[in-house]
Amino acid sequence: MEKTFSERLAEAEERIEAACARSGRARSEVTLVAVTKTWPPEIVSEAIREGAATLGENRVQEALAKAPLCPSADWHLIGPLQKNKVRHALSLFSTLHAIDSIDTLEALARVQEQTGARPDVMLEVNVAAEPTKHGFTPAGVRDAIRAALERGEVRLCGLMCMPPWEPDPEASRPRFRALRELRDSLEREFGIGLPSLSMGTSGDYAVAVEEGSTHVRLGTALFGRRNAAAWKPERSPDSDSYFV
Ligand SMILES: *Cc1c(COP(=O)(O)O)cnc(C)c1O
């Protein structure tokens, strides 16, 4: 029989706890982000009732349309953010995992100044230097931190990565370790704290936790395989602004 959401959540909790124990970390250092992208509000609502408290979406408009149809939760944006969607994003998300351009950081600073929103911000790093992937290079991330510090408003809290998919999760360990080491050296260079490391997805989160992850982003492990026909909000005059 198919496992239920709460069985899958309990299994993920156990594996996170075991990985914390193996690496001498406290379970409270790791946030489980339930990745709800493509799932309809009924499924998401059920997940929230079963105990998912932090939700991850990768598209601003999808999340903005879905959130009002669900019980309250802490919504995180795990996908990239374009600068023209910053204002919309700040109306929902407490945490932005994947900021990948200085333009967006500057737009964030401007909107924060106007609205008083203060999301936690992580910078995405392209750890394997893949030409098709989002994210700063290790040199680029330094420029981004400099730009953010100059503007002051942006609350930088850490780094995020999405390494290439590997059938063996151990193959991702060097990528996760590299992100942690980059974080450590940036903290020293800039004299700032970057406590958050968003790394690890369904296939490799135990390894990521062992390497210091503070945010694991779990979709498939909790909800099963995503449907090819993703949930789409119905268009209405009210929701047109989600599609700018
Ligand atoms: C979809 C997505 C995930 C979840 O991936 P799973 O393998 O289903 O756990 C994690 N992070 C990001 C950025 C995603 O877009």
Side-chain angles (χ1 to χ4, degrees):
M1 225 182 73
E2 277 265 302
K3 285 184 191 149
T4 64
F5 178 84
S6 63
E7 285 168 340
R8 288 181 167 135
L9 181 62
E11 214 171 272
E13 279 294 342
E14 257 171 50
R15 292 190 63 201
I16 293 169
E17 184 142 9
C20 284
R22 283 196 296 279
S23 47
R25 306 182 61 207
R27 169 67 188 87
S28 59
E29 290 173 41
V30 184
T31 300
L32 190 166
V33 181
V35 176
T36 50
K37 67 184 186 198
T38 76
W39 293 104
E42 309 83 74
I43 302 260
V44 178
S45 298
E46 180 64 21
I48 295 169
R49 283 191 290 270
E50 298 286 348
T54 307
L55 307 184
E57 286 275 340
N58 68 336
R59 290 168 165 278
V60 175
Q61 56 270 57
E62 181 180 338
L64 282 180
K66 201 181 285 183
L69 306 174
C70 299
S72 73
D74 182 20
W75 295 81
H76 289 200
L77 182 65
I78 61 171
L81 176 60
Q82 280 142 19
K83 64 177 176 181
N84 62 336
K85 295 206 175 118
V86 166
R87 191 173 296 275
H88 282 118
L90 294 201
S91 70
L92 176 66
F93 297 108
S94 71
T95 306
L96 309 172
H97 285 233
I99 299 304
D100 67 353
S101 84
I102 291 180
D103 273 359
T104 300
L105 278 172
E106 285 175 347
L108 257 174
R110 275 196 302 279
V111 174
Q112 288 188 190
E113 229 171 293
Q114 293 159 5
T115 63
R118 299 273 287 160
D120 285 335
V121 172
M122 292 181 238
L123 302 174
E124 180 170 3
V125 179
N126 187 349
V127 282
E130 294 171 275
T132 58
K133 282 261 181 87
H134 291 279
F136 291 107
T137 62
V141 84
R142 289 174 164 84
D143 295 337
I145 292 175
R146 237 170 259 123
L149 292 177
E150 266 164 37
R151 293 300 306 260
E153 287 87 1
V154 177
R155 182 147 76 196
L156 282 184
C157 70
L159 305 178
M160 176 268 202
C161 73
M162 185 84 194
W165 187 84
E166 301 277 2
D168 175 9
E170 281 300 328
S172 299
R173 188 183 294 279
R175 308 292 189 197
F176 296 143
R177 187 170 295 168
L179 194 72
R180 169 165 49 84
E181 289 172 352
L182 175 63
R183 185 275 306 273
D184 293 346
S185 55
L186 294 171
E187 284 188 327
R188 281 194 301 272
E189 276 174 57
F190 289 94
I192 56 175
L194 295 168
S196 299
L197 288 174
S198 174
M199 53 189 201
T201 60
S202 291
D204 54 19
Y205 62 99
V207 170
V209 168
E210 288 172 7
E211 293 300 327
S213 173
T214 61
H215 293 74
V216 292
R217 309 181 308 267
L218 305 187
T220 317
L222 297 179
F223 294 97
R225 269 188 58 192
R226 276 181 290 278
N227 211 318
W231 178 76
K232 291 256 179 357
E234 276 176 39
R235 286 197 77 141
S236 74
D238 280 357
S239 64
D240 268 2
S241 58
Y242 300 145
F243 298 87
V244 291

